[in-house]
Amino acid sequence: QGNIYVGLRFNDYVGMELGYEHSKEVKSTAALVQGDSYIGAVLPAATNSYPIFTDNSNRIRGPHINLVGFLPIYGNETELLAYVGMARIHAVAESNVVRLNGTLPAAPIISSFDKRKSVLRAGAGVQHKLLKHLGIRATIGWENTQRIKMIDKVDFANYVRLKDSVIYGLGIYVFT
């Protein structure tokens, strides 16, 4: 995942950041049997179509704004930081059934999901000034992405609900 930020520091202790995040596409394969949950529903009693194999992909992207607090701990060189903010997440997912009981499906079975939603975000970290105008920052954050329920574009009974996101960050920052 990549993030880019632009910020304004109001004083030694408070600032604001605007940013944009873009995750890489995450791909997975799943083998499903009776009783497993798939696209918001529990699979019914065994039929001749189990196991079901699916290829899945998802990604998120979108802008965010954070109110940031800073606490100097070693002079002006190292600071603890904490932030709280909002993100406007655009989540996209797709699930493609590739095998039913070991054979290809007669016709493609694809579920596509696309949703935009505002979510809360919070985090903490530490930053250290390396040079006069250059520093390094490490953070861990959380986004309330479980609020995102994506409904299938074709079959409105199908849906996917995301889990909350934990975001680890390591980067450089430039300041004046």
Side-chain angles (χ1 to χ4, degrees):
Q1 175 168 318
N3 284 292
I4 188 163
Y5 293 91
V6 174
L8 177 63
R9 195 152 176 175
F10 303 122
N11 58 40
D12 288 343
Y13 302 100
V14 179
M16 183 169 286
E17 295 176 336
L18 298 173
Y20 189 85
E21 64 186 290
H22 187 92
S23 72
K24 68 177 186 172
E25 184 176 34
V26 177
K27 295 184 177 191
S28 65
T29 300
L32 306 168
V33 295
Q34 175 186 354
D36 286 345
S37 178
Y38 178 66
I39 310 179
V42 176
L43 296 175
T47 67
N48 63 358
S49 50
Y50 292 113
I52 299 171
F53 292 93
T54 63
D55 286 339
N56 309 293
S57 66
N58 64 67
R59 71 174 185 273
I60 62 171
R61 62 180 183 265
H64 52 269
I65 184 168
N66 298 328
L67 182 63
V68 186
F70 299 94
L71 179 63
I73 55 175
Y74 292 112
N76 290 334
E77 303 299 316
T78 304
E79 299 174 306
L80 297 177
L81 65 97
Y83 64 87
V84 62
M86 294 288 296
R88 181 70 178 167
I89 298 293
H90 179 198
V92 178
E94 184 173 282
S95 183
N96 180 11
V97 174
V98 293
R99 294 259 189 245
L100 295 170
N101 196 20
T103 61
L104 293 172
I109 305 171
I110 299 173
S111 296
S112 296
F113 308 91
D114 191 326
K115 181 75 173 191
R116 288 175 172 81
K117 188 135 187 144
S118 295
V119 299
L120 294 174
R121 61 193 325 260
V126 63
Q127 64 184 30
H128 181 73
K129 189 179 197 181
L130 298 172
L131 301 170
K132 185 175 179 180
H133 298 290
L134 184 71
I136 189 167
R137 177 188 277 191
T139 59
I140 183 168
W142 162 86
E143 287 182 348
N144 186 20
T145 49
Q146 74 173 351
R147 292 192 62 233
I148 300 174
K149 179 179 178 181
M150 297 186 289
I151 298 173
D152 191 322
K153 294 177 187 176
V154 177
D155 181 355
F156 299 117
N158 292 339
Y159 68 91
V160 171
R161 184 177 299 279
L162 300 182
K163 294 180 180 179
D164 281 346
S165 298
V166 176
I167 303 162
Y168 303 94
L170 181 62
I172 59 170
Y173 65 97
V174 179
F175 55 93
T176 59

